[in-house]
Amino acid sequence: AAIGISEAIGAEGKSEPQGAGVINLKYDQAKVVAAIKEKSPAYQETAYEGVTIFTVPEEVTVLEEGAAPKEGEKPMFGAFLDASNIAVGTEPGVKAVIDVLKGKAESAVKNTELMKQIKGINKTSLVWSVFVFSPDQVKKMAEGMPMMSSLESLQALTMYVDDKNKGLQI
């Protein structure tokens, strides 16, 4: 699995994280769709760049029996990219994955700051992650949390689970 998250600014000027995860697994698309439709009868499909995007509206997102949707809950979007990859996330996030797949957007491997950080991380670990921050993002974090002001030079956060030595490296 790979997950990408980016910050977008909404109409009200608030930060709205966008993103998607790409999951690689063996699956039967018809069975997956049937299971989703059983839990969420309002399942919808639309086409984007020749790829079918499915939507599970927020009012029917799978909930515990009798539970109401959480305030601010957003619909889930997904796309079957090929026989072994599924993208799931926000609508812009899933569309961004499709854009990369179709060659209409650059892959993350073209991001020199991200790749510089990835180069130095233990990619053979069980789970690893890299978060790259722009100077503007760090400034906003520092303004919002005074304790963060000492991290003005922060460029990235890397993390991995060292399953061989049973540790978390940050």
Side-chain angles (χ1 to χ4, degrees), residues 36 40 42-46 53-58 60 75-78 91:
I36 295 171
S40 302
Y43 169 96
Q44 301 169 357
E45 291 183 351
T46 57
I53 294 179
F54 63 85
T55 307
V56 180
E58 65 182 314
V60 293
M76 179 188 78
F77 293 85
E91 183 177 21

Short mmCIF file of all heavy atoms in Angstrom, two decimals, residues 36 40 42-46 53-58 60 75-78 91:
data_model
loop_
_atom_site.label_atom_id
_atom_site.label_comp_id
_atom_site.label_asym_id
_atom_site.label_seq_id
_atom_site.Cartn_x
_atom_site.Cartn_y
_atom_site.Cartn_z
N ILE A 36 -19.68 -3.89 -1.69
CA ILE A 36 -19.89 -2.47 -1.39
C ILE A 36 -21.35 -2.10 -1.60
O ILE A 36 -21.95 -1.40 -0.77
CB ILE A 36 -18.97 -1.58 -2.26
CG1 ILE A 36 -17.50 -1.81 -1.90
CG2 ILE A 36 -19.33 -0.11 -2.08
CD1 ILE A 36 -16.52 -1.14 -2.85
N SER A 40 -23.81 -0.41 0.96
CA SER A 40 -24.12 0.97 0.59
C SER A 40 -24.92 0.98 -0.71
O SER A 40 -24.36 1.13 -1.79
CB SER A 40 -22.84 1.77 0.40
OG SER A 40 -22.08 1.76 1.57
N ALA A 42 -26.50 3.17 -2.18
CA ALA A 42 -26.39 4.41 -2.97
C ALA A 42 -25.06 4.48 -3.72
O ALA A 42 -24.69 5.53 -4.24
CB ALA A 42 -26.57 5.63 -2.08
N TYR A 43 -24.34 3.38 -3.80
CA TYR A 43 -23.09 3.28 -4.56
C TYR A 43 -23.31 3.88 -5.95
O TYR A 43 -24.32 3.63 -6.60
CB TYR A 43 -22.72 1.80 -4.65
CG TYR A 43 -21.61 1.44 -5.60
CD1 TYR A 43 -20.32 1.30 -5.14
CD2 TYR A 43 -21.86 1.20 -6.96
CE1 TYR A 43 -19.29 0.93 -6.00
CE2 TYR A 43 -20.83 0.83 -7.81
CZ TYR A 43 -19.56 0.70 -7.34
OH TYR A 43 -18.54 0.34 -8.19
N GLN A 44 -22.35 4.70 -6.40
CA GLN A 44 -22.46 5.33 -7.72
C GLN A 44 -21.16 5.14 -8.48
O GLN A 44 -20.10 4.98 -7.88
CB GLN A 44 -22.72 6.83 -7.58
CG GLN A 44 -23.98 7.17 -6.83
CD GLN A 44 -24.05 8.65 -6.49
OE1 GLN A 44 -23.14 9.42 -6.76
NE2 GLN A 44 -25.15 9.05 -5.89
N GLU A 45 -21.25 5.20 -9.81
CA GLU A 45 -20.07 5.12 -10.65
C GLU A 45 -20.06 6.27 -11.65
O GLU A 45 -21.11 6.65 -12.16
CB GLU A 45 -20.03 3.80 -11.43
CG GLU A 45 -19.79 2.58 -10.57
CD GLU A 45 -19.68 1.29 -11.39
OE1 GLU A 45 -19.95 1.31 -12.61
OE2 GLU A 45 -19.30 0.27 -10.80
N THR A 46 -18.87 6.84 -11.88
CA THR A 46 -18.68 7.86 -12.90
C THR A 46 -17.36 7.53 -13.61
O THR A 46 -16.55 6.77 -13.09
CB THR A 46 -18.59 9.28 -12.31
OG1 THR A 46 -17.52 9.32 -11.36
CG2 THR A 46 -19.88 9.70 -11.64
N ILE A 53 -14.69 5.56 -11.58
CA ILE A 53 -14.54 5.95 -10.17
C ILE A 53 -15.86 5.60 -9.47
O ILE A 53 -16.92 5.95 -9.96
CB ILE A 53 -14.27 7.46 -10.02
CG1 ILE A 53 -12.91 7.81 -10.62
CG2 ILE A 53 -14.31 7.87 -8.54
CD1 ILE A 53 -12.55 9.29 -10.53
N PHE A 54 -15.75 4.91 -8.35
CA PHE A 54 -16.97 4.63 -7.58
C PHE A 54 -17.03 5.56 -6.38
O PHE A 54 -16.01 6.01 -5.86
CB PHE A 54 -17.07 3.16 -7.17
CG PHE A 54 -16.00 2.66 -6.25
CD1 PHE A 54 -16.10 2.82 -4.87
CD2 PHE A 54 -14.88 2.00 -6.76
CE1 PHE A 54 -15.12 2.35 -4.02
CE2 PHE A 54 -13.89 1.52 -5.92
CZ PHE A 54 -14.01 1.69 -4.55
N THR A 55 -18.25 5.88 -5.99
CA THR A 55 -18.49 6.78 -4.87
C THR A 55 -19.46 6.13 -3.91
O THR A 55 -20.48 5.59 -4.32
CB THR A 55 -19.11 8.11 -5.35
OG1 THR A 55 -18.30 8.64 -6.38
CG2 THR A 55 -19.22 9.11 -4.22
N VAL A 56 -19.14 6.19 -2.64
CA VAL A 56 -20.06 5.77 -1.59
C VAL A 56 -20.41 7.05 -0.84
O VAL A 56 -19.59 7.59 -0.10
CB VAL A 56 -19.42 4.73 -0.65
CG1 VAL A 56 -20.41 4.31 0.43
CG2 VAL A 56 -18.93 3.52 -1.44
N PRO A 57 -21.62 7.61 -1.09
CA PRO A 57 -22.01 8.88 -0.47
C PRO A 57 -21.93 8.83 1.06
O PRO A 57 -22.13 7.78 1.66
CB PRO A 57 -23.44 9.09 -0.93
CG PRO A 57 -23.55 8.26 -2.18
CD PRO A 57 -22.66 7.07 -1.94
N GLU A 58 -21.70 10.02 1.65
CA GLU A 58 -21.51 10.08 3.10
C GLU A 58 -22.70 9.58 3.89
O GLU A 58 -22.54 8.99 4.94
CB GLU A 58 -21.14 11.49 3.54
CG GLU A 58 -22.21 12.53 3.31
CD GLU A 58 -21.75 13.91 3.74
OE1 GLU A 58 -21.18 14.03 4.82
OE2 GLU A 58 -21.96 14.86 2.99
N VAL A 60 -24.53 7.15 3.43
CA VAL A 60 -24.67 5.70 3.49
C VAL A 60 -23.34 5.01 3.74
O VAL A 60 -23.23 3.82 3.58
CB VAL A 60 -25.32 5.14 2.20
CG1 VAL A 60 -26.74 5.58 2.07
CG2 VAL A 60 -24.52 5.49 0.97
N PRO A 75 -17.82 11.68 1.51
CA PRO A 75 -17.99 10.42 0.79
C PRO A 75 -16.63 9.77 0.51
O PRO A 75 -15.60 10.44 0.50
CB PRO A 75 -18.67 10.83 -0.51
CG PRO A 75 -18.49 12.29 -0.63
CD PRO A 75 -18.22 12.83 0.73
N MET A 76 -16.65 8.48 0.28
CA MET A 76 -15.44 7.74 -0.07
C MET A 76 -15.43 7.56 -1.59
O MET A 76 -16.46 7.26 -2.19
CB MET A 76 -15.44 6.38 0.60
CG MET A 76 -14.20 5.56 0.25
SD MET A 76 -14.29 3.86 0.85
CE MET A 76 -15.36 3.13 -0.38
N PHE A 77 -14.27 7.74 -2.19
CA PHE A 77 -14.11 7.54 -3.62
C PHE A 77 -13.08 6.45 -3.85
O PHE A 77 -12.17 6.27 -3.04
CB PHE A 77 -13.62 8.84 -4.30
CG PHE A 77 -14.64 9.94 -4.26
CD1 PHE A 77 -14.73 10.76 -3.15
CD2 PHE A 77 -15.53 10.12 -5.30
CE1 PHE A 77 -15.69 11.78 -3.09
CE2 PHE A 77 -16.47 11.13 -5.25
CZ PHE A 77 -16.56 11.96 -4.14
N GLY A 78 -13.23 5.73 -4.94
CA GLY A 78 -12.26 4.69 -5.26
C GLY A 78 -12.25 4.42 -6.74
O GLY A 78 -13.16 4.83 -7.48
N GLU A 91 -12.03 12.56 -3.63
CA GLU A 91 -12.19 12.63 -5.09
C GLU A 91 -10.96 13.23 -5.77
O GLU A 91 -10.43 12.63 -6.72
CB GLU A 91 -13.45 13.42 -5.45
CG GLU A 91 -13.70 13.47 -6.94
CD GLU A 91 -14.99 14.19 -7.31
OE1 GLU A 91 -15.50 14.99 -6.50
OE2 GLU A 91 -15.48 13.95 -8.43
#
